Each structure stands twice: as C-alpha cells, then as structure tokens.
C-alpha cells in the first residue's frame, strides 16, 4: 500500500503487480515474488473487492493454508483492514470465518494432504484462495457473479516444483503475465510481484532494501565475497581466527558455508518434526471429537424418541456433502456441541406408544446376566464408521 493516501481511503493497490492481480480477468492467477511485495493484502482484497456488489450470501470464499496455526498471520492482516473498511463486519474466532453485513462470507481453512480435499468436495465457493500455494469446489449458482482461483507464493520450499510446472516457470517457460491455455483446463496466468513497479519513492526504498538483503543472502550461500557483503559476518569466531592468522580466509569461508548448510538442514528437520507433531495432534483431536459425539448421543439413549432421532442423525452423516460441511465448519472439539444442536433441531413425528405385551419366557439362563451387546450404541458406532470412511 502506498504510504500516503487520502484520509477517506484505507487501502489502495500498488501500481503494477497488485493492480494487475486485482483486475485480472483470467480464471486462475498466481501472484509470486519475494516477501514484502504485498501479496497477502492482494489476496485478501481479491475477495473483499466483490463484497457489497449485490451477490450477498452467494459470494463465498475459502482461503487455504497447510494448517490452522499458519492462518494466524493472514487472519491478523485481514483484521487490520476489514474492520476499518467494512463497518458491521464480524469475525467468528471459533469457526475462522468473516461474515459481512450484506451476507458474504470468507472462510479460513487448511489442507495439507490429498485426503483433506474431500472435506470440501461438493462445496460451492466462487472464490478460492491459496496462501503460499500449492477445483472442483470453485463453482457458482448465482448469475453474473465472478468465479476465480487466486494464489500467492514465494517460489521455494516444499511444492515449488509443482507450482513452477503448472505456471510454466524456468528456462523453457513463459514470461510473467502470459495467459496459459491448455486443453480441458481453465486459463491461468502468473503475475510477478515487484515493488519497483510502484511510483512511490518509499516503495522504491523498500524494494532496494529487499534487493540488498537478497544479494547478501545469495553471496553468503555461495561463499562469495562481494562489495558490501562480508561472508563471515555471521560467525565472529571465524573472523577472529582469520584475524589471528590461524586459518586462511578461503578456508574460513568454506567452514561458514558448511555451517549454513547444516543450519538449513536443521531448520528443515525442525519444520518437518513440527508438522508431524501438528498432524498427530490433529488426529488425536479428531478421535477425541468422535468419542465426545458418541458419548453425548449415548447420554440421550433413554429418551422415547431416541431411535427415531438417531435414524435422522445417521442419515444426515451418511450424506457426504453434509458430512464434509460439518467437518469443515466445526473444529473437533466443537463436534459434541454441534451434534447436540443437530439432534435437538430434528423434527420427529409423535408416535403412539403401544401397550406392553407380556414378555415371552426366555431360555437364557439368568446366571449369564444381560446380553453383552449394547444395541443403544450401534447407531453411534455406525456414524463413527461413516466418518472414518470419509477420512475423519
């Protein structure tokens, strides 16, 4: 955003990449570039610019990251702008969703595996956003409303190869802003984020600082001295060793390069471990969520209309679309409360109770006690099996 705007303007796109991204008519667009180019703002405003245009509740979007904790910075950025731009807008902290006074909704969701896709299959989102990218869920039923997929990324890290291949980057690729047309696919385009395209001198200074930082990082990674770059500046012990004549500078640079490679490897290992821990914690929360649902439903088993209500509950969860909507709307720790609302909301026709007839004489020896089969638990078990089949 430009540093000086009229008092009545809260946010405005930078000339160049942000403006191109927001006005892009192509179905799928990727905004790529280094940090600091305003990619997060552009992604959020890509959805927000269509709010209040008469689409109401039909304008729904889902913004994805790999895991819920990673959404925190995007949510914080959205709060910075949305509260100021849209009076009356509300953010639901438990469901991670923005709701506009005019009915539009923007969901923040996660997706790290192929199986996570099925949590959203069949949903209708005319706007899909991917933060640090990579569709059948991008669909609409309201005439005249735009439909689009938008993504941002830095072209490094896990998955960067797939992104480069999809948007044809590299020696044999296509230049930025070139529309890619392929058989049986929607058109797509890549936009390169550059602060230098701005007309604001403050943005140029930021771009210059970013360029200097990138140059410094590249020289240190390569182990190459350059004007204004001290390859050993991160390791005072090596600087001191060279100064004392204990080792040659070339050898010190080699040692610094090896240390940086080791640090990078350790960072990747820590990141992988953290991701595994996060996945395990989520899997545990899912199991606890299913158990709490079953426990709650079992607590209602003494009620007269229990069997009738459980048939409706089981029918509800047997519908893949409803199950996916349930799983994507509520966190596992909310499942028990959510199923309680469902259970109580179902309308069950009153049934006339028949008079009890005498029980037939059973040949079951009384010493065996009650049957070990708890029939009241069967519906809950079936619901759990349905959820497991759907990957929950």
């Amino acid at each position: 955003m430009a540093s000086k705007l009229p008092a009545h303007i809260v946010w405005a796109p930078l000339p160049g990449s942000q403006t191109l991204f927001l006005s892009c008519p192509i179905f799928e667009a990727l905004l790529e570039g280094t940090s600091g180019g305003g990619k997060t703002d552009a992604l959020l405003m890509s959805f927000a610019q269509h709010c209040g245009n008469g689409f109401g509740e039909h304008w729904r979007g889902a913004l994805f990251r790999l895991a819920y904790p990673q959404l925190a910075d995007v949510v914080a950025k959205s709060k910075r702008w949305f509260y100021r731009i849209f009076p009356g807008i509300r953010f639901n902290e438990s469901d991670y969703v923005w709701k506009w006074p005019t009915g539009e909704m923007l969901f923040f969701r996660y997706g790290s595996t192929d199986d996570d896709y099925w949590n959203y299959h069949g949903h209708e989102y005319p706007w899909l956003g991917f933060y640090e990218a990579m569709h059948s869920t991008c669909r609409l039923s309201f005439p005249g409303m735009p439909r689009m997929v938008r993504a941002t990324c830095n072209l490094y890290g896990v998955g960067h190869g797939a992104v480069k291949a999809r948007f044809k980057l590299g020696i044999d690729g296509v230049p930025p802003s070139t529309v890619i047309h392929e058989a049986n696919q929607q058109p797509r385009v890549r936009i390169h984020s550059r602060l230098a395209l701005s007309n604001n001198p403050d943005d140029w200074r930021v771009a210059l600082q970013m360029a200097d930082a990138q140059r410094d990082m590249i020289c240190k990674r390569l182990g190459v001295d350059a004007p204004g770059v001290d390859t050993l500046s991160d390791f005072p012990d090596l600087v001191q060793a060279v100064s004392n004549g204990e080792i040659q500078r070339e050898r010190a640079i080699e040692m610094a390069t090896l240390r940086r490679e080791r640090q990078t490897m350790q960072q990747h290992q820590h990141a992988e471990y953290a991701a595994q821990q996060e996945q395990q914690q989520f899997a545990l929360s899912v199991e606890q969520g299913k158990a709490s649902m079953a426990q709650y439903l079992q607590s209602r088993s003494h009620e007269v209309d229990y069997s009738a209500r459980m048939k409706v509950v089981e029918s509800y969860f047997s519908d893949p679309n409803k199950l996916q909507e349930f799983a994507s709307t509520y966190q596992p720790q909310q499942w028990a409360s959510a199923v309680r609302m469902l259970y109580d909301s179902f309308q069950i026709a009153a049934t006339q109770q028949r008079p009890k007839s005498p029980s037939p004489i059973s040949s079951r020896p009384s010493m065996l006690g009650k049957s070990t089969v708890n029939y009241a638990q069967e519906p809950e078990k079936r619901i759990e099996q349905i959820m497991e089949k759907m990957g929950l």
Side-chain angles (χ1 to χ4, degrees):
M1 185 184 72
S3 59
K4 294 181 180 180
L5 290 172
H8 65 284
I9 297 178
V10 176
W11 187 91
L14 292 169
S17 57
Q18 281 190 340
T19 299
L20 288 173
F21 189 70
L22 291 176
S23 60
C24 180
I26 306 303
F27 172 77
E28 182 178 352
L30 170 72
L31 180 61
E32 53 85 11
T34 55
S35 301
K39 297 188 298 297
T40 306
D41 286 352
L43 187 62
L44 291 167
M45 296 305 173
S46 172
F47 176 85
Q49 68 178 335
H50 296 287
C51 294
N53 288 347
F55 303 129
E57 63 183 9
H58 300 284
W59 183 243
R60 291 159 51 93
L63 193 157
F64 291 90
R65 287 209 74 172
L66 287 178
Y68 265 105
Q70 296 178 342
L71 286 167
D73 56 338
V74 191
V75 170
K77 184 67 73 71
S78 70
K79 290 179 178 179
R80 176 184 176 186
W81 300 124
F82 288 177
Y83 280 129
R84 298 169 61 191
I85 299 174
F86 302 101
I89 194 172
R90 292 182 291 109
F91 183 73
N92 189 313
E93 296 286 351
S94 59
D95 291 342
Y96 257 36
V97 57
W98 281 105
K99 186 167 185 179
W100 273 254
T102 44
E104 300 88 349
M105 299 178 72
L106 175 61
F107 297 84
F108 292 96
R109 293 294 183 256
Y110 77 95
S112 59
T113 67
D114 292 341
D115 290 339
D116 290 331
Y117 163 79
W118 295 104
N119 292 332
Y120 311 99
H121 178 74
H123 292 196
E124 180 179 296
Y125 296 113
W127 185 93
L128 284 178
F130 297 89
Y131 188 89
E132 300 298 344
M134 13 186 107
H135 288 261
S136 65
T137 56
C138 187
R139 54 168 68 102
L140 55 84
S141 58
F142 190 82
M145 187 166 59
R147 185 167 67 104
M148 64 187 72
V149 175
R150 294 294 181 261
T152 66
C153 75
N154 292 318
L155 291 174
Y156 62 85
V158 177
H160 76 280
V163 176
K164 286 184 176 180
R166 179 163 183 78
F167 288 92
K168 300 187 182 302
L169 278 79
I171 298 175
D172 299 323
V174 299
S177 302
T178 301
V179 180
I180 301 170
H181 296 277
E182 292 184 339
N184 302 319
Q185 293 192 28
Q186 293 280 5
R188 57 186 181 272
V189 66
R190 169 176 66 96
I191 298 170
H192 186 66
S193 174
R194 289 182 179 175
L195 279 173
L197 295 177
S198 169
N199 292 322
N200 191 318
D202 291 338
D203 293 332
W204 297 343
R205 294 186 185 95
V206 173
L208 183 60
Q209 292 174 0
M210 290 170 56
D212 287 341
Q214 290 289 320
R215 178 171 174 270
D216 185 84
M217 179 193 68
I218 292 171
C219 287
K220 289 179 177 178
R221 278 191 169 185
L222 293 175
V224 175
D225 280 325
V229 177
D230 183 0
T231 313
L232 301 179
S233 61
D234 298 332
F235 305 104
D237 60 319
L238 294 180
V239 175
Q240 187 63 40
V242 172
S243 178
N244 294 340
E246 299 171 9
I247 57 175
Q248 296 293 320
R249 182 172 178 82
E250 291 76 11
R251 175 56 183 162
I253 291 176
E254 291 176 2
M255 294 172 65
T257 302
L258 290 173
R259 288 186 185 182
R260 289 192 180 94
E261 291 175 354
R262 192 179 302 116
Q263 290 174 350
T264 301
M265 186 179 301
Q266 290 174 345
Q267 290 171 357
H268 288 165
Q269 291 173 346
H270 287 318
E272 290 177 1
Y273 177 76
Q276 290 173 358
Q277 291 292 103
E278 188 175 312
Q279 289 296 327
Q280 291 173 3
Q281 182 60 41
F282 181 74
L284 177 62
S285 68
V286 167
E287 293 304 315
Q288 292 173 339
K290 290 192 291 187
S292 64
M293 282 176 53
Q295 183 178 4
Y296 172 75
L297 292 172
Q298 177 62 19
S299 72
R300 305 287 291 265
S301 61
H302 64 282
E303 298 175 358
V304 175
D305 58 354
Y306 174 75
S307 296
R309 285 185 179 277
M310 284 305 299
K311 287 182 180 179
V312 181
V313 172
E314 186 177 351
S315 175
Y316 177 90
F317 283 105
S318 296
D319 184 333
N321 290 335
K322 290 180 179 177
L323 176 57
Q324 289 152 9
E325 183 176 4
F326 180 91
S328 62
T329 301
Y330 301 104
Q331 294 295 301
Q333 60 268 27
Q334 299 172 315
W335 286 356
S337 299
V339 82
R340 180 184 64 190
M341 291 188 294
L342 284 173
Y343 187 94
D344 290 334
S345 67
F346 294 136
Q347 299 297 320
I348 306 297
T351 56
Q352 215 175 8
Q353 292 209 4
R354 298 178 180 177
K356 291 185 178 179
S357 57
S359 300
I361 297 174
S362 173
S363 61
R364 183 180 178 85
S366 60
M367 63 181 292
L368 293 178
K370 294 182 178 180
S371 170
T372 56
V373 178
N374 189 342
Y375 291 99
Q377 287 187 348
E378 288 186 357
E380 299 92 43
K381 293 297 183 184
R382 288 198 295 270
I383 291 173
E384 284 192 54
Q385 291 173 358
I386 291 170
M387 298 182 78
E388 287 173 1
K389 287 180 181 179
M390 296 299 294
L392 295 176

